[in-house]
Amino acid sequence: VKYDGGMKKDRRTLLKSLRLKATPARLAMLDVFALSSKPINAEHISERLKGLKVDHVTVYRTLASFEEKGIIKQVDLRKGSVYYELQEGEHHHHHLVCTDCGKVEDFDACEVGAALPGILKKSSFKAVDSHSLELFGLCRKCFAS
Amino acid sequence: VKYDGGMKKDRRTLLKSLRLKATPARLAMLDVFALSSKPINAEHISERLKGLKVDHVTVYRTLASFEEKGIIKQVDLRKGSVYYELQEGEHHHHHLVCTDCGKVEDFDACEVGAALPGILKKSSFKAVDSHSLELFGLCRKCFAS
DNA sequence: GTGAATGCAAAAACTTTGCATACGC
DNA sequence: GCGTATGCAAAGTTTTTGCATTCAC
């Protein structure tokens, strides 16, 4: 079951299918991810959960279980904390990150999937579940200044 | 100037060309990187610098300056701390990481360089200095068990 | 000699653990 | 009711900051 934010009513179904209890914190965190257009970290989530008073420990534990179940994935933006976004399927995207101002932008072209079989064959690995692919450089504005 | 470990006598030349003073800690850290076949973190470096008694703060500050000068680059292995390895040039490699036992293996095929111009053109970015590309999955041994 | 680099102490930032209570199913 | 999920307190880990001293050039 993929959760893409276009199925807000099915949050309970999704959690049930993964044998996770539908608690307010989890439902709210699914919403936060669905509504976020950029990767976010634990602090961002806590901020957006203000009304609920969800403990930060719960946020961390929920992130861990969501990641384990494949709902979200880590994104390394080199910002000192772990960022996450929803797992998309086949046609996922990656990011351009400005090392000066921190701006994050998506890009689509990802040919890793196509290259995977060849890489695996030459390696001692048997399976690849996810991958990172972020580009670090300067956005137009920071490049100019 | 690229430092690839095959130029141990030229460590001083390298540092001078980057306007960094050739201190014992920096020279030793260049050696540590040249001798390491895998990405390493601050703790690993401190261990391998035992005889020198280099403060951990110095290790962090040196890592920051080496990265800024392009001698090393960050590698995100999702292990809770920042790993680094020497910046190679055109023909660099990336990594397969076992999410079970932590094993790290190199792979070569990287087509990011070729795809870069097209990605940049469609973006609001002007330059890309480095990129991540690590594959997370299971090594043969962990896959079997 | 001078400015950069280091060491030490302290703190900040991020994340995890243990345990008692609360809540979904 | 049962077992998972949460909150709170505490601690662990990783990284950064301030300042006085030392060292490379």
Side-chain angles (χ1 to χ4, degrees):
Chain A
V1 183
K2 283 289 171 216
Y3 180 70
D4 65 2
M7 44 197 304
K8 283 190 66 169
K9 333 89 180 280
D10 282 335
R11 299 170 308 167
R12 303 190 111 87
T13 308
L14 171 74
L15 293 174
K16 178 175 289 186
S17 74
L18 298 172
R19 270 152 289 128
L20 295 176
K21 292 182 180 173
T23 65
R26 285 171 176 169
L27 293 167
M29 278 180 62
L30 285 179
D31 284 344
V32 168
F33 276 109
L35 291 171
S36 176
S37 61
K38 297 293 165 207
I40 49 181
N41 66 15
E43 189 183 359
H44 297 138
I45 293 169
S46 289
E47 284 167 9
R48 296 173 200 190
L49 252 39
K50 270 288 169 51
L52 273 185
K53 291 211 305 148
V54 175
D55 195 88
H56 72 116
V57 174
T58 298
V59 172
Y60 280 106
R61 290 198 267 232
T62 303
L63 286 171
S65 70
F66 280 8
E67 188 190 8
E68 189 192 328
K69 299 294 190 180
I71 299 174
I72 58 175
K73 66 176 176 191
Q74 287 192 28
V75 181
D76 175 41
L77 302 179
R78 297 187 184 169
K79 293 192 181 187
S81 62
V82 183
Y83 282 67
Y84 295 87
E85 67 181 4
L86 289 178
Q87 267 280 24
E88 303 152 297
E90 189 77 13
H91 299 96
H92 56 265
H93 66 273
H94 293 283
H95 308 90
L96 285 147
V97 184
C98 180
T99 50
D100 193 7
C101 70
K103 177 176 182 178
V104 176
E105 192 169 302
D106 295 351
F107 74 89
D108 294 312
C110 175
E111 294 150 31
V112 176
L116 250 190
I119 294 169
L120 270 181
K121 185 168 295 179
K122 287 186 209 154
S123 77
S124 72
F125 278 63
K126 276 297 189 186
V128 167
D129 303 312
S130 69
H131 60 267
S132 68
L133 173 50
E134 323 319 313
L135 310 183
F136 300 92
L138 296 175
C139 71
R140 194 170 296 160
K141 205 191 295 181
C142 293
F143 185 84
S145 62
Chain B
V1 182
K2 283 288 174 217
Y3 180 71
D4 66 3
M7 43 198 301
K8 284 190 64 170
K9 331 92 179 279
D10 282 335
R11 299 171 308 168
R12 304 191 111 89
T13 308
L14 171 75
L15 292 174
K16 177 175 289 186
S17 74
L18 297 172
R19 270 155 289 128
L20 294 177
K21 292 182 180 174
T23 65
R26 286 172 176 169
L27 293 167
M29 279 180 62
L30 285 179
D31 284 344
V32 168
F33 275 109
L35 290 171
S36 176
S37 61
K38 296 292 165 208
I40 50 181
N41 66 16
E43 191 185 357
H44 297 138
I45 293 169
S46 289
E47 284 167 8
R48 297 173 199 188
L49 253 39
K50 270 288 170 51
L52 273 185
K53 292 211 302 148
V54 175
D55 195 88
H56 72 115
V57 174
T58 298
V59 171
Y60 280 106
R61 288 197 268 231
T62 303
L63 286 172
S65 70
F66 280 8
E67 188 190 8
E68 189 193 330
K69 299 294 190 179
I71 300 174
I72 58 175
K73 66 177 176 190
Q74 286 192 28
V75 181
D76 177 40
L77 303 179
R78 298 189 184 167
K79 294 192 181 188
S81 62
V82 182
Y83 281 67
Y84 296 87
E85 67 182 3
L86 289 178
Q87 268 279 26
E88 303 152 296
E90 189 77 12
H91 299 95
H92 55 266
H93 65 274
H94 292 284
H95 308 91
L96 286 147
V97 185
C98 180
T99 50
D100 193 5
C101 71
K103 177 177 181 175
V104 177
E105 192 170 301
D106 296 351
F107 73 89
D108 294 313
C110 176
E111 293 148 33
V112 175
L116 250 190
I119 294 168
L120 270 182
K121 184 168 295 180
K122 288 186 209 151
S123 78
S124 72
F125 278 63
K126 276 296 188 187
V128 167
D129 303 311
S130 69
H131 59 267
S132 67
L133 174 50
E134 324 315 315
L135 311 182
F136 300 92
L138 295 174
C139 70
R140 195 171 294 158
K141 205 191 295 184
C142 293
F143 185 83
S145 65

